[in-house]
Structure formats: structure tokens, C-alpha cells
Amino acid sequence: RETSATQTNDVPHGVIGGALGAVAGGLMGYYMAIGLCETSGGCSGANAALAGAAIGAILGVGVEWLIRGA
């Protein structure tokens, strides 16, 4: 019978950090784009959210690898 500790270790390295980083980076990118928008017609934060999610995912994977490797 597997314990919860064993099941947690079955998650591949980088998945949790990548997911959390993507969400955090996407939200930060979106809100920064909306906050810096100076056009009167409105802005779309979609491109900034995608770029932030990609950067956040890469950083999240790296941080998780460092933490699990320590």
C-alpha cells in the first residue's frame, strides 16, 4: 500500500514548479500589461500573459529542480 509521501515523490521533477510559475507569471504579465496600457481604446493583455506564463514556467521548473536537488 502506497503512502501519501510515496505518491508525492511520483510527480516528475519540474511539474509543480512549472505549473505554479506559469500561473503566477501569466497573471503578473496580464496585470502589468493592463496597468501600463495608455491607449484609450483598451488593451489586450493576452500576449503579455502568454509571455509571462512561459517565462514563469521556465523559472518555476528551475527553482523546483534546485529545491528538490538540495
Side-chain angles (χ1 to χ4, degrees):
R1 197 174 251 276
E2 292 185 25
T3 63
S4 61
T6 304
Q7 291 172 354
T8 303
N9 292 334
D10 290 340
V11 176
H13 286 204
V15 172
I16 296 171
L20 292 175
V23 170
L27 287 173
M28 286 193 302
Y30 176 77
Y31 286 121
M32 284 188 69
I34 296 301
L36 296 174
C37 180
E38 296 180 1
T39 62
S40 60
C43 291
S44 172
N47 289 339
L50 289 174
I55 293 168
I58 292 167
L59 292 176
V61 168
V63 167
E64 184 178 349
W65 274 92
L66 288 174
I67 291 172
R68 284 194 178 193

